[in-house]
Structure formats: structure tokens, C-alpha cells
Amino acid sequence: MTDGQRLFVGGSWVEPDGGHYEVSDPATEEVVGWAPEASRDQAHAACAAAREAFGPWSRTAPEERAAVLGRAADIIRSRLVPYAELAQAETGATTGTARGMQVGVAAARFRRYARVEPAEWAIPPQVNEAGPMGRAAVMGALAVRQPVGVVTCITSYNNPWANPAGKIAPALAMGNTVVVKPAPQAPLSVYRMAEALEAAGVPRGVVNVVSGRSVEVGEAVVDSPDVDMVSFTGSTAVGQRIAEVCGRGMKRQLMELGGKGAAVVLDDADLASAVAGIGTTFSFYSGQICTAPTRVLVQRGLYERLVEQLAGYAGRLKVGDPREPDTVVGPVISAAHRERVESYVELGRKEGAVVVTGAERPMPDRGFYIGPTLLAGCSPDMRVVREEIFGPVVTVTPFDDEEEGIALANDSDYGLIDYVWSVDVARAFRVARRLRAGGVGVNTVGRNMEAPFGGFRKSGVGRDCGSYALHAYSEVQSIVWPG
């Protein structure tokens, strides 16, 4: 149990003005710790501390910044088991997910940005032979990347290690300072990350962490005049409100928002591969992930077989205590979220969908569990097809030909990651190029972590991962001189 946690502001551990609130284990409903409730003034103080630290940190040699990140990676890796146990207690993730996809990925991301090559942010110099008003001249020009300044990082509850690391590490590598506002459901892991960074030698004020359940804490770390950029992962609705505030202050934004990923299963698909990929919606974070292939569009000739096999796949997944080694599906984050997901399943039933599996399954007595749920016979206008449910729920809609499948996939407010299954790779790539999404998986739900990540439409603004994260957390400056 994590007791009496304090805020991390300006390199000091500070008692919160608002006291503490309980953090509960979604698998057991037991209290696992108390998180600090910052005041608006404390949130603004964290932003001011980051502003004061920005100048010295931005002038630090990249090699020195990289050394700090490398040490942080080593510390996180050395504490993988206790850190994963805490993440599991906060989020209900299975043991493998907590160790590998949460803490393990966080360590890898710090290591990745400790190894930045100068070529990743270098821009080739340009020479222009034409001067102003047509006069002959030779002008040299150099474009360089500068840090943005103070970056507010607002992180998600589903992965309180990898998600913050994916923001903090590239931001620090580029010379920015950060204020982290963790999700109120899972803030304790982020404080452990701050401790690791402190032990790694990060200077005072370069990293700050403030938490709280109140809206005013989140507002304060966005509207502070000391903040230059906001990097947010969360719902589209909250992202839109943040964007409004950023617009008034002309602040940079990086938004990873909602998703309703289309899985286009063509009539020549390897059905076993498609079912296994789509089935990750049931197991990975219990469907609480914006990249999940939740909206299945299957060519009519395969429709009945896919529904049958996907139902069988869901029925074989063990739901229960995420600490047990054979558990595949853990709980969702809270009772309120369970009720929200269940209300969508009932809505789907009322809209005419067939609940093939999920509703009849017995669940553990304690904890916020939902059985893997498959809704078949769905039509494109149903709310369960169009809106993000964020749980272990998959909808299936048939289509007749390739053109219709592409049109249905693109008929969405979202556009984060879509998927295509076909044994004809050329055909799959042809379809992928026509999908309006920031990423497309061809015969896979796996990701290349160096590829740009981000969405179209209401799924977000900007791209990160790999070198693209360095670009996201920098401004481009041009320097021109006479040749």
C-alpha cells in the first residue's frame, strides 16, 4: 500500500493543499493507496518551477540529458517487479501486461531517447541563389530544432508507465521541462517514475508531478501562462476542451484522443489470424485502449464463420483475478466505467444487435469485470458502432464488396488505427492506402514503435513515437545569412 504520497514540485516533495484521496484496485475494490490532491495554486507553482528550470536545462548538452534518461531507464528496469505490482493494483492489468507493456515499455522508451542520434533532428542547410526582388545574391540558411519550452503532459489511466514515458522522455531529450498531470484513477505509478528520474539526477524543476480528481487541477496545468505546450492522452471530449484553452494562448498541442478502429476483413482473409487480432480487444487492457479493432467490417461470404469463430475465441478467455497466471481478461477501471460499458451493450440490444456472447457469463463477486462481448448483426448507424465504448466489446457489420467496406470504414468521426485482413498483400495495401486513419495494420494488430502514431479527425492532432516524438516536442527555427 502506498501511503501519504506528496506532490513533486520544483525538485521537492510537497504536502498537497487538498489532502489525499483513495486509489482502489479495480480487481478487488480494496484501497491500495492515497494520492495527493493538489490545489490550483500548487499546479501553477509546478508550471512556474518548470519555467524557471527550462533555461538551464535547454542549454545542457544533449549528451548530458541523454545520460539522465539512460540512468532512469536502468532504475526503472531494476525495479520492474515492484513497479509492475503497483501498476497492476492501480489498473487491474494482468501480470504480463503490467511487466511487459507497462513498466517494460516505459524503461525501453527512456532508453530509446537516451540514444538519440543528431541526424534525427538535424535539418540539412539550404543555399538560395536568388536574392530579394530578383537581385543576384547567395543566401545561406540553416534550420535547427529548438525545444518548445514547458510541456504539460496529461496522461491516461490505462497505462500509467508507458504513456507518461512516451511523453516525458522525448520532451526532456529535446531540452523541454515538464509538468505531469496523471489520470486520477492511476496516479501512484507516475510518482514512482518521478522518484526514478530524481534518482537518475534530473535537475530541480525539470520534472514536476501534480495530481488530483478536481477539474481545476487539470485546468491549471493547461491555462498557466508558463506552459507552452500540452500533450494529452484521453477522450475526445476532454481534448476538445483543452484545445479551446490552448487556442486562446496559441499553445502547441499533441492530442492522442479516442478511436473506433475498423477491422476490414476481406473475403480472402486468413480467418484464424483475423480472429486472433480482433480478439485482442477482449484481452488487452480489457478493451480500454483507443487502438483496439472494435468495429469489425467483414465481407458477407465470411460473416457467419467469423462471428462463430470470434464467439468461440471469446468464450475460451479466462476472466478473473489479473494476478493469476492464466487470466487473460482483467477488470475495467471502475464501477462507473463498468456501468457505462454495460449500458452500451444494452443499447446495442435495443438497437437491434444480437448479443452473441458476454452477457450470460458469470463474473467474480468483487471487482469491476465485464465478460468479452460480441455484438453481431450491427448496422453502420447504430451508436454502438459509431461511438467509442472503451471496453471488451466488439461489433460486427457485414458488407458486400471492397468499395463498400472502405466506405464503411471511413464513415466515422474517428481515425486512429484501422486494420485490414487479406492474404493478397497487394490488395490489403491498396485498401489500407484508402483508409482515413493515422495508422493501418495489415494482417496484424502489432505496432512498430518507430512509426508515427496519431490520428485523423477526432482521434487527435500531431504524431509521436520514434523520431516523430522529437519533432513533436520541438520548434523549427531558421537562421539566414549572406553568402
Side-chain angles (χ1 to χ4, degrees):
M1 182 175 289
T2 300
D3 217 351
Q5 179 68 63
R6 292 174 291 175
L7 308 169
F8 189 53
V9 177
S12 298
W13 294 94
V14 180
E15 289 294 333
D17 289 342
H20 294 81
Y21 67 91
E22 293 180 350
V23 177
S24 298
D25 185 335
T28 64
E29 302 182 45
E30 297 176 354
V31 176
V32 297
W34 286 266
E37 183 78 51
S39 65
R40 181 176 177 83
D41 287 345
Q42 287 180 311
H44 274 175
C47 299
R51 170 59 60 197
E52 183 176 355
F54 169 65
W57 178 251
S58 66
R59 293 189 293 271
T60 301
E63 295 78 10
E64 293 182 39
R65 300 198 294 263
V68 172
L69 298 179
R71 290 192 294 270
D74 291 341
I75 292 168
I76 292 170
R77 175 61 63 181
S78 71
R79 301 173 183 173
L80 186 147
V81 172
Y83 283 169
E85 289 174 350
L86 176 59
Q88 189 171 48
E90 289 190 286
T91 66
T94 62
T95 300
T97 296
R99 293 186 181 185
M101 299 306 296
Q102 294 193 359
V103 182
V105 169
R109 286 181 167 173
F110 277 105
R111 176 62 59 198
R112 161 65 177 87
Y113 294 105
R115 294 173 175 164
V116 171
E117 296 294 332
E120 291 190 76
W121 67 66
I123 304 172
Q126 303 292 322
V127 175
N128 179 17
E129 296 287 346
M133 305 299 291
R135 293 192 295 271
V138 176
M139 300 295 291
L142 176 66
V144 296
R145 292 196 178 276
Q146 298 276 15
V148 177
V150 175
V151 180
T152 286
C153 303
I154 303 178
T155 66
S156 60
Y157 70 73
N158 58 357
N159 196 328
W161 280 94
N163 183 263
K167 299 177 185 296
I168 296 169
L172 296 187
M174 287 305 301
N176 302 283
T177 56
V178 298
V179 178
V180 187
K181 164 62 172 66
Q185 303 95 328
L188 303 178
S189 291
V190 181
Y191 284 104
R192 299 288 82 77
M193 188 180 296
E195 288 179 353
L197 283 160
E198 183 183 34
V202 69
R204 296 173 64 87
V206 170
V207 175
N208 306 269
V209 183
V210 290
S211 58
R213 294 173 297 178
S214 67
V215 174
E216 70 173 10
V217 178
E219 290 178 342
V221 295
V222 172
D223 67 24
S224 166
D226 289 310
V227 170
D228 300 292
M229 175 180 173
V230 177
S231 177
F232 171 71
T233 300
S235 73
T236 295
V238 174
Q240 288 170 325
R241 294 199 294 271
I242 291 173
E244 291 173 0
V245 177
C246 288
R248 291 196 293 271
M250 296 303 292
K251 299 180 182 184
R252 288 280 298 274
Q253 304 165 45
L254 179 60
M255 298 281 185
E256 181 197 336
L257 307 178
K260 191 71 176 179
V264 181
V265 183
L266 299 171
D267 56 6
D268 64 344
D270 179 334
L271 206 52
S273 173
V275 167
I278 295 163
T280 60
T281 299
F282 301 135
S283 56
F284 194 45
Y285 298 129
S286 301
Q288 299 169 113
I289 185 165
C290 52
T291 59
T294 59
R295 183 169 55 108
V296 178
L297 308 170
V298 56
Q299 203 153 0
R300 202 171 295 276
L302 288 182
Y303 172 77
E304 291 185 2
R305 289 171 56 199
L306 182 136
V307 170
E308 179 183 3
Q309 292 187 27
L310 199 52
Y313 183 97
R316 293 190 294 271
L317 302 178
K318 179 184 174 181
V319 181
D321 184 352
R323 294 168 179 83
E324 294 182 2
D326 58 342
T327 293
V328 180
V329 183
V332 295
I333 194 67
S334 66
H337 190 57
R338 178 180 61 186
E339 291 172 7
R340 178 182 182 274
V341 175
E342 289 175 340
S343 72
Y344 266 106
V345 175
E346 183 58 30
L347 172 63
R349 192 195 308 272
K350 291 177 179 177
E351 289 181 314
V354 177
V355 182
V356 179
T357 184
E360 79 292 344
R361 194 157 175 170
M363 293 293 110
D365 294 333
R366 291 181 64 81
F368 311 124
Y369 293 93
I370 301 171
T373 303
L374 181 63
L375 302 179
C378 296
S379 59
D381 59 335
M382 291 180 177
R383 285 180 57 193
V384 289
V385 175
R386 304 198 66 83
E387 298 177 13
E388 185 177 39
I389 299 174
F390 218 60
V393 181
V394 169
T395 68
V396 186
T397 303
F399 65 87
D400 289 314
D401 56 34
E402 188 176 299
E403 288 298 318
E404 183 186 9
I406 294 169
L408 290 176
N410 289 335
D411 182 20
S412 175
D413 291 336
Y414 299 102
L416 187 56
I417 295 186
D418 287 345
Y419 306 87
V420 182
W421 270 274
S422 170
V423 295
D424 183 342
V425 176
R427 182 189 187 194
F429 269 79
R430 181 177 70 243
V431 172
R433 290 292 298 271
R434 294 181 60 191
L435 297 181
R436 299 291 295 166
V440 181
V442 172
N443 295 321
T444 183
V445 293
R447 282 179 53 202
N448 182 321
M449 299 308 296
E450 289 297 309
F453 179 72
F456 289 13
R457 298 188 294 268
K458 291 184 179 180
S459 284
V461 177
R463 298 292 183 272
D464 64 1
C465 286
S467 299
Y468 298 90
L470 301 173
H471 302 169
Y473 293 99
S474 64
E475 296 275 19
V476 178
Q477 179 188 61
S478 63
I479 303 173
V480 179
W481 65 92

